[in-house]
Amino acid sequence: MSAPSTEKIEKVIKSGLCTRCGSCVGLSNGAINFADREGDCLPHISAEPDAVRAARIAAACAGAEADFNALNTAAFGADAGRHEYLGHFESIGIGHADDPQTRSEGASGGVLTAILLWLLERGEIDGAVVTGMDERRPWLPKTFIARNAEEIRAAAQSKYVITTVNEILPEMEAFTGRLAYVGLPCQVHSIRRMQAAGDTAVKSIRFVFGPFCGNTLHFSSIKSLLRSYGEKDHTCIKRLDFRAGEWPGSLRIEMQSGRVIELPKFHANYLIPFHIMKRCLLCTDLANEFTDISGGDAWAPVYEERGRGFSMVFARSAEGSRIIREMQESGALSLASLEPDEALKMHSHGYDLKKRGAFIRMEFLTKLGLAVPDYGYELSGFKPKRYVMEAVLDQLFLLFGTRVSRAALEHVNPEHMGAIFQRLRTLWKKSTHNIKREQLGE
Ligand SMILES: Cc1cc2nc3c(=O)[nH]c(=O)nc-3n(C[C@H](O)[C@H](O)[C@H](O)COP(=O)(O)OP(=O)(O)OC[C@H]3O[C@@H](n4cnc5c(N)ncnc54)[C@H](O)[C@@H]3O)c2cc1C
């Protein structure tokens, strides 16, 4: 039987609710670690953390419980409202970093990187928690504290495989100065829980920023793609970019041999149903709702056709709004304001997946007696056809996620697979357009 202090974490791991945010590992003083980063990447408890650490870990873990109202209060104060789809916000904009280099090096409009650079230059922060690629193992992401512009720039771009950002908590705790923190929604949930609990590990954080997140993939996605091209050894990767080149960019893998494998982002998306981290299917935060500022891609034909990167940006806190305003005034950022309805429509697919699909999936799992996260709020009342659509989608996720399907996939040419996937996705999006937009945000 597990000791009481790690019981909660063990339960979260065993029930499939672990988000891999890394907080338990970071707070455990070596007692918990990620045993298999290139596999399931689950925390492994090798020793019992002392009682104080165990209590901190339990308070930080957002895998089973992330009360959105409590997180909203922790981030924005008790009086702040919360839009159930978009989260709390003061303004929404579409635009990009004005510096062409920052814009082109970023995942979409380079906005998150531009914000960090601007804050560092003005002395508002002394460092930024960012996620780049590991120099020693360039096929894996690595979180670090960037202390200069070059390091911030090196971490630009999205990483679409599991990142365990909060492992860096000990370094954050030891840091003297003010930090900006950049993390995915699930990682931010844990940070906000720690802030609410007064944990010293997060005392240096002055600002919290983060990308939108539809989902993340297991590292098996990269290994599988390589095998499709006849490359057996992922440790021969010299450089891995998930959004290389002109927006929306390509998944680009450069091997030590000099061979370059490249797939347009929308084609590489075919890997999602096969390698998605299943916990993402139970997450209800697309737009990183508890950050000071969050940014996503400005998905709309009018922007996509222009090629150069555009971001959708939410200024959520008063400080977030101030940063956006002053950056615009100083010519660091160009943003045009956007109405909430438009913002919803531009990501209707993502909101449908995470705000409606996730709640329906949780309903299905609860009926089966399986564990689901508690977000302290629930969206319900969806039409029967939305349930039917979800049942079909979930069967596909189950089928594609099996070892057999993954193995079979490797025998298909990724370029053909990507093109087919994109066509099917467009067809699917068109045929479910009305179901997905009906009642959205009501
Ligand atoms: C896993 C994942 C899923 C996403 N899903 C969607 C989606 O469904 N819809 C959508 O509109 N946008 C999504 N995004 C966001 C989008 O890809 C861009 O990150 C966002 O538009 C910000 O672009 P930017 O040019 O301003 O950021 P950049 O200037 O490129 O800066 C990105 C910052 O995010 C940090 N970062 C990157 N990847 C990670 C990671 N995996 N974990 C922690 N920190 C990271 C980097 O350190 C960097 O500081 C996703 C991003 C990620 C990482």
Side-chain angles (χ1 to χ4, degrees), residues 14-307:
K14 284 196 181 134
S15 56
L17 298 184
C18 175
T19 64
R20 281 71 162 181
C21 76
S23 292
C24 60
V25 174
L27 292 172
S28 74
N29 197 25
I32 308 178
N33 45 59
F34 286 107
D36 183 11
R37 284 176 197 281
E38 293 164 20
D40 267 352
C41 194
L42 277 168
H44 171 71
I45 305 170
S46 54
E48 195 60 33
D50 65 52
V52 174
R53 284 186 181 277
R56 289 171 73 189
I57 291 169
C61 180
E65 191 194 344
D67 184 323
F68 273 34
N69 292 317
L71 296 176
N72 206 59
T73 300
F76 312 115
D79 296 334
R82 186 172 73 78
H83 186 293
E84 278 180 333
Y85 279 65
L86 307 174
H88 175 78
F89 61 89
E90 297 203 351
S91 65
I92 313 172
I94 294 262
H96 52 83
D98 273 342
D99 171 39
Q101 185 193 347
T102 310
R103 183 180 185 185
S104 70
E105 286 172 355
S108 43
V111 173
L112 294 177
T113 298
I115 293 170
L116 300 177
L117 291 170
W118 188 82
L119 290 170
L120 189 75
E121 199 181 294
R122 286 169 47 110
E124 290 202 36
I125 55 169
D126 305 291
V129 175
V130 290
T131 301
M133 299 305 286
D134 192 336
E135 274 178 21
R136 278 190 312 117
R137 293 174 296 177
W139 54 92
L140 285 182
K142 185 172 184 202
T143 300
F144 62 97
I145 297 180
R147 291 172 168 81
N148 56 48
E150 198 186 329
E151 288 173 350
I152 289 175
R153 284 187 187 284
Q157 291 259 333
S158 300
K159 283 84 198 170
Y160 293 125
V161 290
I162 294 175
T163 57
T164 53
V165 171
N166 295 350
E167 264 187 287
I168 201 172
L169 286 168
E171 275 180 58
M172 287 168 63
E173 187 156 23
F175 190 81
T176 46
R178 292 152 306 168
L179 285 173
Y181 168 95
V182 185
L184 300 178
C186 52
Q187 296 155 357
V188 171
H189 296 170
S190 179
I191 293 292
R192 291 302 191 194
R193 279 177 66 102
M194 278 186 270
Q195 287 180 325
D199 197 301
T200 50
V202 291
K203 66 181 187 314
S204 301
I205 297 181
R206 185 166 176 208
F207 305 111
V208 175
F209 305 123
F212 287 19
C213 184
N215 55 67
T216 192
L217 304 186
H218 285 281
F219 185 72
S220 55
S221 54
I222 299 299
K223 289 205 276 194
S224 166
L225 181 72
L226 284 183
R227 280 198 290 265
S228 304
Y229 283 99
E231 294 282 352
K232 302 259 180 311
D233 186 1
H234 66 274
T235 67
C236 293
I237 292 179
K238 190 174 165 199
R239 189 182 162 101
L240 171 58
D241 292 290
F242 293 88
R243 299 283 295 263
E246 195 170 88
W247 188 65
S250 298
L251 171 60
R252 183 179 185 279
I253 307 175
E254 190 182 334
M255 306 300 291
Q256 281 164 7
S257 63
R259 183 179 186 192
V260 173
I261 293 167
E262 198 159 351
L263 265 189
K265 178 189 164 18
F266 289 131
H267 286 196
N269 279 352
Y270 84 86
L271 293 162
I272 294 175
F274 294 89
H275 297 277
I276 187 171
M277 184 172 87
K278 292 283 187 302
R279 176 62 175 79
C280 298
L281 292 168
L282 303 180
C283 172
T284 72
D285 188 347
L286 172 75
N288 223 332
E289 296 179 28
F290 308 106
T291 48
D292 291 290
I293 302 173
S294 67
D297 283 283
W299 295 138
V302 57
Y303 297 109
E304 286 166 42
E305 278 155 19
R306 287 194 221 171

